[in-house]
Amino acid sequence: MPKMTFIQPDGKRLEVDAPVGLSVLEIAHKHGVDIEGACEGSLACSTCHVIVDPEWYGKLPDAKPDEEDMLDLAFGLTKTSRLGCQLIMTPELDGLVVSLPTATRNMM
């Protein structure tokens, strides 16, 4: 089974099983990672904002315009920011590393 690593705001790393077909948001919730996802993955907020390790960012599919619009609302936006609800685990993403921002901005 693929694995992925979440890096907490305090720097602590958590490697978890990442089933193919689940979103990074779903994987986080499955493993008790503190990521909000206020809209439950419906692409209506930015509370599942994650910062993708630069090594992995280029391996992801491009963000769609709706995701880019929501990312504009994210706290601590970076060049490698994505929404966890839009990142779906595939075998090619085995080893994916994402960092959680220090805060979220819930506009709901």
Side-chain angles (χ1 to χ4, degrees), residues 32-86:
V33 174
D34 187 21
I35 185 171
E36 187 174 352
C39 73
E40 298 178 3
S42 65
L43 196 52
C45 74
S46 63
T47 61
C48 65
H49 168 223
V50 295
I51 301 164
V52 178
D53 184 284
E55 178 182 324
W56 287 96
Y57 189 77
K59 298 175 184 178
L60 301 174
D62 291 338
K64 294 185 172 129
D66 288 345
E67 180 182 359
E68 290 176 353
D69 289 345
M70 286 292 106
L71 278 169
D72 287 341
L73 305 173
F75 179 87
L77 190 65
T78 73
K79 289 182 180 184
T80 63
S81 289
R82 293 294 300 267
L83 295 181
C85 69
Q86 299 302 297

